[in-house]
Amino acid sequence: MTVKTEALRGLTGSADSIQLHTSNQSVTFPGNVTVTGTTTLNGTVTGDNAGALVFVGEQTLSGSTDTTINVEDTALFDGTYDQVLIRITDHHPNTDESQFIARGKYGGSYQTTSHYVHTSNIFYEDSYDQITAGSNRDGSGQAFQICKQIGNAAGESFSCDFWIDSPADTVNFKLFRWYPTYIRTSVQAMGGFGHGFYSNSTTGQGALQGVQFGSWDSSASAAQLKDIKIRKYGFKKS
């Protein structure tokens, strides 16, 4: 049956919603649909979302004594996405001059062996000086050292975009890259970039199962993360 109408409303003239029959809750629109008001979705949206950036979830710590936080959403690492973006904001460490680190989960465990080949370059305002937050070209690093010297005074914080390419690939080493921005002191705005991979040929070419972020003090001992917000996104396969 085909129904043609200029307007479709509820049972009363002022009704603002339409409820479909519970046994057949679907509507097909053959053309474009224009929404002029706020749209609320209570279910899962499916369809051709190839190439789209998809929000997967959020994790937060507030006033925490934890020294690490793990990102292990199945959707991020099961091959659904070609690329994963983990956006870290509002990190306010418990320890001044702290470092921010990352590790990968392979074979069911977060790897702490010395196979993290990476380099991180940080720039700050004093005549565009550069510091090396971490560099382990020989693979001796036990984590990716994203940055160091993060301030923890009132108003100081750290943020970072952390990217992973092809996390479910079982042939190549996974490539990681990061772009941190943070405040060290009231006169030092810090920022830069880094990249690396986990070079253990036994596990590093396997599928990535998670990423662990953590805080170190200036001597590379575990420190409390305190406050942090993590938003997770995936780029759908084309």
Side-chain angles (χ1 to χ4, degrees):
M1 181 178 69
T2 301
V3 177
K4 296 182 178 180
T5 180
E6 292 183 0
L8 184 64
R9 302 189 67 87
L11 293 176
T12 65
S14 62
D16 293 324
S17 64
I18 302 287
Q19 180 175 350
L20 303 177
H21 192 277
T22 55
S23 64
N24 186 20
Q25 294 188 13
S26 64
V27 177
T28 300
F29 298 97
N32 296 328
V33 177
T34 300
V35 179
T36 58
T38 301
T39 302
T40 301
L41 302 174
N42 295 317
T44 301
V45 179
T46 61
D48 183 11
N49 296 315
L53 178 65
V54 179
F55 175 69
V56 175
E58 180 178 290
Q59 295 174 237
T60 60
L61 293 177
S62 179
S64 175
T65 58
D66 292 346
T67 59
T68 60
I69 184 170
N70 300 338
V71 175
E72 299 182 352
D73 303 65
T74 300
L76 294 178
F77 303 104
D78 65 358
T80 300
Y81 303 108
D82 286 326
Q83 289 184 316
V84 169
L85 167 61
I86 302 174
R87 174 156 286 181
I88 302 158
T89 61
D90 303 321
H91 173 41
H92 187 80
N94 187 64
T95 303
D96 194 28
E97 295 284 289
S98 66
Q99 305 181 56
F100 195 79
I101 61 103
R103 290 189 172 108
K105 183 178 182 179
Y106 298 90
S109 301
Y110 284 102
Q111 302 300 310
T112 59
T113 56
S114 301
H115 291 90
Y116 286 92
V117 178
H118 69 287
T119 184
S120 291
N121 298 294
I122 302 297
F123 301 86
Y124 59 100
E125 289 186 342
D126 296 343
S127 301
Y128 298 100
D129 288 338
Q130 175 183 342
I131 61 173
T132 301
S135 181
N136 289 281
R137 296 176 183 175
D138 59 354
S140 63
Q142 296 181 357
F144 294 132
Q145 293 172 273
I146 307 300
C147 71
K148 63 182 181 182
Q149 299 175 329
I150 303 173
N152 76 335
E156 298 175 354
S157 66
F158 163 92
S159 64
C160 180
D161 283 352
F162 188 91
W163 290 86
I164 308 165
D165 292 331
S166 303
D169 185 4
T170 57
V171 176
N172 301 308
F173 293 109
K174 263 51 69 187
L175 296 174
F176 303 82
R177 59 190 185 278
W178 48 88
Y179 305 90
T181 305
Y182 58 103
I183 301 171
R184 182 185 182 189
T185 69
S186 60
V187 296
Q188 287 182 313
M190 316 286 278
F193 58 90
H195 52 271
F197 67 99
Y198 185 70
S199 66
N200 188 319
S201 59
T202 302
T203 55
Q205 291 170 255
L208 184 68
Q209 299 168 325
V211 178
Q212 181 181 83
F213 298 103
S215 182
W216 285 354
D217 62 20
S218 58
S219 61
S221 296
Q224 296 174 12
L225 284 167
K226 191 179 178 183
D227 303 324
I228 192 170
K229 180 182 289 185
I230 295 177
R231 293 186 177 95
K232 299 161 286 188
Y233 303 85
F235 276 92
K236 292 285 268 186
K237 292 187 174 182
S238 58

